[in-house]
Amino acid sequence: MRDGPVQMSSSLGHDRLLAERLADAASPAAASVLEKLVSVTERAREAGQLREDVTRLDLRVVLCGTALQLVRLAERDPVTWRRYAEMVLAALRNCTCVEDPRDPRPTRR
């Protein structure tokens, strides 16, 4: 699950047209990419890697919303796009997190 979206985000940092199409969730190009991501998402959910409640709408809001903001900010750095892809995946990932009061970052149980 991790490699595809992270690689795609690096591509979006370089490919302005693709980034703009994904940011425009109504575009046919975005629909095509989203259909592929829905397929990957369903397989990842079946494998227990994603939260059970992740929906197609979640992908549109979280992924397209992220793309939209990065496009509006004229962000082109693939490292930045990859960073936000990691955040999106962390939000969708099936994990139990435990907070350590000494460390502000959650850790997996």
Side-chain angles (χ1 to χ4, degrees):
M1 170 66 187
R2 182 179 183 274
D3 292 339
V6 173
Q7 287 174 351
M8 183 184 75
S9 69
S10 292
S11 297
L12 292 171
H14 289 295
D15 188 337
R16 190 66 176 179
L17 181 60
L18 180 59
E20 288 176 5
R21 289 302 123 234
L22 186 59
D24 176 10
S27 80
S32 173
V33 171
L34 284 170
E35 284 307 313
K36 290 175 185 164
L37 287 173
V38 166
S39 176
V40 169
T41 299
E42 289 169 358
R43 289 193 311 269
R45 186 179 28 245
E46 289 169 7
Q49 295 177 334
L50 284 186
R51 296 167 47 137
E52 286 292 321
D53 62 344
V54 173
T55 67
R56 174 185 302 260
L57 180 59
D58 295 331
L59 288 178
R60 290 188 77 157
V61 170
V62 176
L63 187 61
C64 292
T66 300
L68 176 63
Q69 288 307 307
L70 291 171
V71 165
R72 285 185 176 170
L73 293 168
E75 182 58 62
R76 294 177 184 261
D77 182 12
V79 173
T80 300
W81 279 82
R82 196 173 315 115
R83 178 175 180 264
Y84 284 100
E86 292 283 351
M87 288 181 174
V88 167
L89 289 175
L92 302 175
R93 194 169 287 129
N94 184 17
C95 75
T96 304
C97 297
V98 177
E99 292 188 29
D100 180 341
R102 298 164 294 179
D103 186 352
R105 297 169 298 163
T107 55
R108 289 184 200 215
R109 192 183 288 179

mmCIF file of all heavy atoms in Angstrom, residues 71-97:
data_model
loop_
_atom_site.group_PDB
_atom_site.id
_atom_site.type_symbol
_atom_site.label_atom_id
_atom_site.label_comp_id
_atom_site.label_asym_id
_atom_site.label_seq_id
_atom_site.Cartn_x
_atom_site.Cartn_y
_atom_site.Cartn_z
ATOM 1 N N VAL A 71 -1.273 22.216 -4.940
ATOM 2 C CA VAL A 71 -1.333 22.904 -6.232
ATOM 3 C C VAL A 71 -1.563 24.392 -6.004
ATOM 4 O O VAL A 71 -0.892 25.240 -6.600
ATOM 5 C CB VAL A 71 -2.434 22.299 -7.134
ATOM 6 C CG1 VAL A 71 -2.764 23.210 -8.307
ATOM 7 C CG2 VAL A 71 -2.012 20.919 -7.626
ATOM 8 N N ARG A 72 -2.514 24.738 -5.142
ATOM 9 C CA ARG A 72 -2.798 26.159 -4.881
ATOM 10 C C ARG A 72 -1.602 26.881 -4.280
ATOM 11 O O ARG A 72 -1.409 28.077 -4.499
ATOM 12 C CB ARG A 72 -4.002 26.295 -3.952
ATOM 13 C CG ARG A 72 -5.290 26.025 -4.667
ATOM 14 C CD ARG A 72 -6.472 26.288 -3.783
ATOM 15 N NE ARG A 72 -7.707 26.109 -4.536
ATOM 16 C CZ ARG A 72 -8.894 26.079 -3.991
ATOM 17 N NH1 ARG A 72 -9.025 26.225 -2.678
ATOM 18 N NH2 ARG A 72 -9.963 25.907 -4.734
ATOM 19 N N LEU A 73 -0.800 26.147 -3.516
ATOM 20 C CA LEU A 73 0.407 26.730 -2.930
ATOM 21 C C LEU A 73 1.581 26.729 -3.911
ATOM 22 O O LEU A 73 2.667 27.182 -3.572
ATOM 23 C CB LEU A 73 0.800 25.974 -1.661
ATOM 24 C CG LEU A 73 -0.170 26.104 -0.495
ATOM 25 C CD1 LEU A 73 0.167 25.097 0.595
ATOM 26 C CD2 LEU A 73 -0.164 27.524 0.059
ATOM 27 N N ALA A 74 1.334 26.221 -5.110
ATOM 28 C CA ALA A 74 2.366 26.118 -6.149
ATOM 29 C C ALA A 74 3.565 25.299 -5.673
ATOM 30 O O ALA A 74 4.702 25.572 -6.035
ATOM 31 C CB ALA A 74 2.793 27.501 -6.634
ATOM 32 N N GLU A 75 3.288 24.291 -4.874
ATOM 33 C CA GLU A 75 4.347 23.427 -4.341
ATOM 34 C C GLU A 75 4.767 22.430 -5.416
ATOM 35 O O GLU A 75 3.945 21.699 -5.944
ATOM 36 C CB GLU A 75 3.846 22.681 -3.106
ATOM 37 C CG GLU A 75 4.894 21.803 -2.458
ATOM 38 C CD GLU A 75 6.125 22.581 -2.051
ATOM 39 O OE1 GLU A 75 6.008 23.493 -1.213
ATOM 40 O OE2 GLU A 75 7.203 22.277 -2.597
ATOM 41 N N ARG A 76 6.044 22.398 -5.719
ATOM 42 C CA ARG A 76 6.555 21.507 -6.756
ATOM 43 C C ARG A 76 7.589 20.525 -6.221
ATOM 44 O O ARG A 76 8.013 19.632 -6.952
ATOM 45 C CB ARG A 76 7.164 22.305 -7.895
ATOM 46 C CG ARG A 76 6.141 23.121 -8.636
ATOM 47 C CD ARG A 76 6.810 23.965 -9.714
ATOM 48 N NE ARG A 76 5.830 24.814 -10.351
ATOM 49 C CZ ARG A 76 5.259 24.545 -11.507
ATOM 50 N NH1 ARG A 76 5.557 23.450 -12.146
ATOM 51 N NH2 ARG A 76 4.384 25.383 -12.034
ATOM 52 N N ASP A 77 7.986 20.675 -5.002
ATOM 53 C CA ASP A 77 9.029 19.816 -4.434
ATOM 54 C C ASP A 77 8.490 18.412 -4.183
ATOM 55 O O ASP A 77 7.574 18.230 -3.374
ATOM 56 C CB ASP A 77 9.535 20.427 -3.130
ATOM 57 C CG ASP A 77 10.644 19.623 -2.488
ATOM 58 O OD1 ASP A 77 11.194 18.715 -3.141
ATOM 59 O OD2 ASP A 77 10.961 19.919 -1.322
ATOM 60 N N PRO A 78 9.042 17.398 -4.865
ATOM 61 C CA PRO A 78 8.554 16.033 -4.674
ATOM 62 C C PRO A 78 8.704 15.538 -3.234
ATOM 63 O O PRO A 78 7.912 14.724 -2.777
ATOM 64 C CB PRO A 78 9.409 15.190 -5.618
ATOM 65 C CG PRO A 78 10.157 16.121 -6.478
ATOM 66 C CD PRO A 78 10.082 17.486 -5.876
ATOM 67 N N VAL A 79 9.688 16.052 -2.532
ATOM 68 C CA VAL A 79 9.873 15.653 -1.136
ATOM 69 C C VAL A 79 8.686 16.120 -0.301
ATOM 70 O O VAL A 79 8.178 15.391 0.552
ATOM 71 C CB VAL A 79 11.215 16.204 -0.576
ATOM 72 C CG1 VAL A 79 11.334 15.948 0.916
ATOM 73 C CG2 VAL A 79 12.388 15.593 -1.330
ATOM 74 N N THR A 80 8.206 17.305 -0.573
ATOM 75 C CA THR A 80 7.042 17.828 0.144
ATOM 76 C C THR A 80 5.803 17.004 -0.206
ATOM 77 O O THR A 80 5.032 16.633 0.680
ATOM 78 C CB THR A 80 6.819 19.314 -0.199
ATOM 79 O OG1 THR A 80 7.983 20.038 0.184
ATOM 80 C CG2 THR A 80 5.610 19.868 0.525
ATOM 81 N N TRP A 81 5.614 16.726 -1.500
ATOM 82 C CA TRP A 81 4.475 15.898 -1.905
ATOM 83 C C TRP A 81 4.556 14.526 -1.232
ATOM 84 O O TRP A 81 3.556 14.001 -0.766
ATOM 85 C CB TRP A 81 4.438 15.744 -3.425
ATOM 86 C CG TRP A 81 3.833 16.928 -4.120
ATOM 87 C CD1 TRP A 81 4.465 18.104 -4.435
ATOM 88 C CD2 TRP A 81 2.492 17.053 -4.573
ATOM 89 N NE1 TRP A 81 3.587 18.946 -5.070
ATOM 90 C CE2 TRP A 81 2.368 18.327 -5.171
ATOM 91 C CE3 TRP A 81 1.380 16.217 -4.553
ATOM 92 C CZ2 TRP A 81 1.187 18.769 -5.734
ATOM 93 C CZ3 TRP A 81 0.199 16.662 -5.125
ATOM 94 C CH2 TRP A 81 0.113 17.933 -5.696
ATOM 95 N N ARG A 82 5.735 13.939 -1.166
ATOM 96 C CA ARG A 82 5.924 12.630 -0.539
ATOM 97 C C ARG A 82 5.597 12.703 0.956
ATOM 98 O O ARG A 82 4.976 11.810 1.514
ATOM 99 C CB ARG A 82 7.365 12.165 -0.754
ATOM 100 C CG ARG A 82 7.583 10.715 -0.495
ATOM 101 C CD ARG A 82 8.986 10.240 -0.872
ATOM 102 N NE ARG A 82 9.433 10.739 -2.159
ATOM 103 C CZ ARG A 82 10.464 11.575 -2.332
ATOM 104 N NH1 ARG A 82 11.159 12.007 -1.313
ATOM 105 N NH2 ARG A 82 10.804 11.985 -3.535
ATOM 106 N N ARG A 83 6.012 13.796 1.595
ATOM 107 C CA ARG A 83 5.729 13.973 3.034
ATOM 108 C C ARG A 83 4.223 13.950 3.291
ATOM 109 O O ARG A 83 3.742 13.289 4.205
ATOM 110 C CB ARG A 83 6.321 15.289 3.505
ATOM 111 C CG ARG A 83 6.048 15.593 4.957
ATOM 112 C CD ARG A 83 6.780 16.867 5.398
ATOM 113 N NE ARG A 83 6.502 17.122 6.786
ATOM 114 C CZ ARG A 83 5.546 17.940 7.219
ATOM 115 N NH1 ARG A 83 4.780 18.588 6.359
ATOM 116 N NH2 ARG A 83 5.346 18.112 8.509
ATOM 117 N N TYR A 84 3.467 14.666 2.474
ATOM 118 C CA TYR A 84 2.017 14.684 2.673
ATOM 119 C C TYR A 84 1.384 13.345 2.311
ATOM 120 O O TYR A 84 0.397 12.942 2.932
ATOM 121 C CB TYR A 84 1.378 15.864 1.922
ATOM 122 C CG TYR A 84 1.642 17.149 2.669
ATOM 123 C CD1 TYR A 84 2.642 18.020 2.272
ATOM 124 C CD2 TYR A 84 0.922 17.453 3.820
ATOM 125 C CE1 TYR A 84 2.912 19.172 2.991
ATOM 126 C CE2 TYR A 84 1.186 18.599 4.544
ATOM 127 C CZ TYR A 84 2.186 19.456 4.123
ATOM 128 O OH TYR A 84 2.455 20.586 4.849
ATOM 129 N N ALA A 85 1.949 12.646 1.340
ATOM 130 C CA ALA A 85 1.454 11.294 1.028
ATOM 131 C C ALA A 85 1.637 10.379 2.231
ATOM 132 O O ALA A 85 0.759 9.579 2.567
ATOM 133 C CB ALA A 85 2.183 10.720 -0.182
ATOM 134 N N GLU A 86 2.762 10.508 2.907
ATOM 135 C CA GLU A 86 3.005 9.705 4.119
ATOM 136 C C GLU A 86 1.971 10.040 5.200
ATOM 137 O O GLU A 86 1.482 9.158 5.896
ATOM 138 C CB GLU A 86 4.419 9.940 4.654
ATOM 139 C CG GLU A 86 5.512 9.405 3.767
ATOM 140 C CD GLU A 86 5.690 7.901 3.870
ATOM 141 O OE1 GLU A 86 5.078 7.275 4.756
ATOM 142 O OE2 GLU A 86 6.442 7.356 3.050
ATOM 143 N N MET A 87 1.633 11.319 5.325
ATOM 144 C CA MET A 87 0.624 11.727 6.311
ATOM 145 C C MET A 87 -0.748 11.150 5.962
ATOM 146 O O MET A 87 -1.473 10.695 6.845
ATOM 147 C CB MET A 87 0.547 13.249 6.403
ATOM 148 C CG MET A 87 1.710 13.878 7.076
ATOM 149 S SD MET A 87 1.453 15.668 7.116
ATOM 150 C CE MET A 87 2.840 16.158 8.081
ATOM 151 N N VAL A 88 -1.098 11.197 4.675
ATOM 152 C CA VAL A 88 -2.378 10.638 4.233
ATOM 153 C C VAL A 88 -2.414 9.146 4.557
ATOM 154 O O VAL A 88 -3.401 8.637 5.100
ATOM 155 C CB VAL A 88 -2.611 10.894 2.728
ATOM 156 C CG1 VAL A 88 -3.755 10.060 2.193
ATOM 157 C CG2 VAL A 88 -2.858 12.378 2.477
ATOM 158 N N LEU A 89 -1.338 8.438 4.228
ATOM 159 C CA LEU A 89 -1.298 7.004 4.512
ATOM 160 C C LEU A 89 -1.383 6.719 6.005
ATOM 161 O O LEU A 89 -2.047 5.777 6.428
ATOM 162 C CB LEU A 89 -0.038 6.381 3.924
ATOM 163 C CG LEU A 89 -0.025 6.296 2.407
ATOM 164 C CD1 LEU A 89 1.324 5.774 1.924
ATOM 165 C CD2 LEU A 89 -1.147 5.419 1.904
ATOM 166 N N ALA A 90 -0.724 7.547 6.805
ATOM 167 C CA ALA A 90 -0.792 7.357 8.256
ATOM 168 C C ALA A 90 -2.227 7.520 8.755
ATOM 169 O O ALA A 90 -2.668 6.803 9.655
ATOM 170 C CB ALA A 90 0.142 8.341 8.960
ATOM 171 N N ALA A 91 -2.965 8.446 8.155
ATOM 172 C CA ALA A 91 -4.353 8.671 8.564
ATOM 173 C C ALA A 91 -5.247 7.494 8.196
ATOM 174 O O ALA A 91 -6.219 7.205 8.899
ATOM 175 C CB ALA A 91 -4.894 9.947 7.916
ATOM 176 N N LEU A 92 -4.925 6.808 7.107
ATOM 177 C CA LEU A 92 -5.760 5.714 6.616
ATOM 178 C C LEU A 92 -5.316 4.340 7.120
ATOM 179 O O LEU A 92 -6.082 3.387 7.063
ATOM 180 C CB LEU A 92 -5.761 5.704 5.086
ATOM 181 C CG LEU A 92 -6.245 6.977 4.405
ATOM 182 C CD1 LEU A 92 -6.085 6.862 2.902
ATOM 183 C CD2 LEU A 92 -7.675 7.300 4.787
ATOM 184 N N ARG A 93 -4.106 4.258 7.616
ATOM 185 C CA ARG A 93 -3.517 2.985 8.018
ATOM 186 C C ARG A 93 -4.230 2.386 9.225
ATOM 187 O O ARG A 93 -4.684 3.090 10.117
ATOM 188 C CB ARG A 93 -2.048 3.201 8.353
ATOM 189 C CG ARG A 93 -1.242 1.958 8.457
ATOM 190 C CD ARG A 93 0.237 2.254 8.524
ATOM 191 N NE ARG A 93 0.715 2.684 7.220
ATOM 192 C CZ ARG A 93 1.427 3.788 7.014
ATOM 193 N NH1 ARG A 93 1.744 4.582 8.007
ATOM 194 N NH2 ARG A 93 1.826 4.101 5.806
ATOM 195 N N ASN A 94 -4.317 1.079 9.236
ATOM 196 C CA ASN A 94 -4.901 0.339 10.350
ATOM 197 C C ASN A 94 -3.818 0.090 11.385
ATOM 198 O O ASN A 94 -3.004 -0.817 11.232
ATOM 199 C CB ASN A 94 -5.479 -0.988 9.849
ATOM 200 C CG ASN A 94 -6.170 -1.756 10.931
ATOM 201 O OD1 ASN A 94 -6.512 -1.222 11.968
ATOM 202 N ND2 ASN A 94 -6.380 -3.032 10.690
ATOM 203 N N CYS A 95 -3.785 0.917 12.411
ATOM 204 C CA CYS A 95 -2.788 0.706 13.462
ATOM 205 C C CYS A 95 -3.357 1.185 14.791
ATOM 206 O O CYS A 95 -4.234 2.025 14.845
ATOM 207 C CB CYS A 95 -1.487 1.425 13.160
ATOM 208 S SG CYS A 95 -1.505 3.201 13.402
ATOM 209 N N THR A 96 -2.848 0.584 15.827
ATOM 210 C CA THR A 96 -3.188 1.026 17.167
ATOM 211 C C THR A 96 -2.021 1.862 17.654
ATOM 212 O O THR A 96 -0.893 1.393 17.659
ATOM 213 C CB THR A 96 -3.384 -0.180 18.104
ATOM 214 O OG1 THR A 96 -4.373 -1.015 17.514
ATOM 215 C CG2 THR A 96 -3.795 0.254 19.479
ATOM 216 N N CYS A 97 -2.283 3.085 18.001
ATOM 217 C CA CYS A 97 -1.220 3.986 18.441
ATOM 218 C C CYS A 97 -1.304 4.213 19.940
ATOM 219 O O CYS A 97 -2.382 4.292 20.505
ATOM 220 C CB CYS A 97 -1.324 5.325 17.710
ATOM 221 S SG CYS A 97 -1.097 5.160 15.936
#
